[in-house]
Amino acid sequence: MHSLQARKLSSRTNFQQIQKGKKLIPAPGQKPPWIYGGAPIAIDPAGVYNVPTNPNRKNYSPAQLNLCDTFNYTYTNLLKTLHNMFNGHRDQCSIQPSAS
């Protein structure tokens, strides 16, 4: 990274900043040429929602089942479409790229 200010950081790097509690800053002459030593990153635990570690359909209330099923269907379709696209089966994709 030559210029951290001019470059958009990856999601992984942003999450690492949260984990380490410090912003990523340049560290010229060091390897790697940056450190997690910038401004502190504060987390308000009240604003962090718990998520299930192993979500299972049977653990949802009747009111949540439709949302759960819709998410599962949509996510599965996305994964199948990506698999087909990356494996040369564009004709089997539910979403076709537009012709340009």
Side-chain angles (χ1 to χ4, degrees):
M1 275 182 215
H2 292 66
S3 171
L4 293 172
Q5 291 77 23
R7 185 167 186 222
K8 183 178 178 188
L9 300 176
S10 70
S11 295
R12 180 177 182 267
T13 301
N14 283 323
F15 285 122
Q16 283 185 315
Q17 290 181 117
I18 293 169
Q19 178 199 25
K20 296 185 183 292
K22 299 271 186 181
K23 294 290 259 177
L24 190 64
I25 59 170
Q30 294 188 23
K31 292 204 182 235
W34 44 263
I35 59 170
Y36 293 95
I41 296 176
I43 300 293
D44 177 9
V48 178
Y49 297 100
N50 290 326
V51 295
T53 54
N54 188 16
N56 189 310
R57 190 178 188 280
K58 69 181 180 185
N59 297 329
Y60 291 100
S61 71
Q64 296 170 320
L65 286 177
N66 186 46
L67 294 171
C68 177
D69 291 342
T70 301
F71 172 82
N72 287 340
Y73 173 82
T74 304
Y75 188 66
T76 299
N77 193 45
L78 170 67
L79 293 177
K80 287 179 180 179
T81 299
L82 290 172
H83 175 83
N84 286 330
M85 290 292 286
F86 288 116
N87 288 286
H89 304 288
R90 293 174 66 173
D91 57 316
Q92 297 176 22
C93 295
S94 59
I95 302 169
Q96 293 294 321
S98 60
S100 25

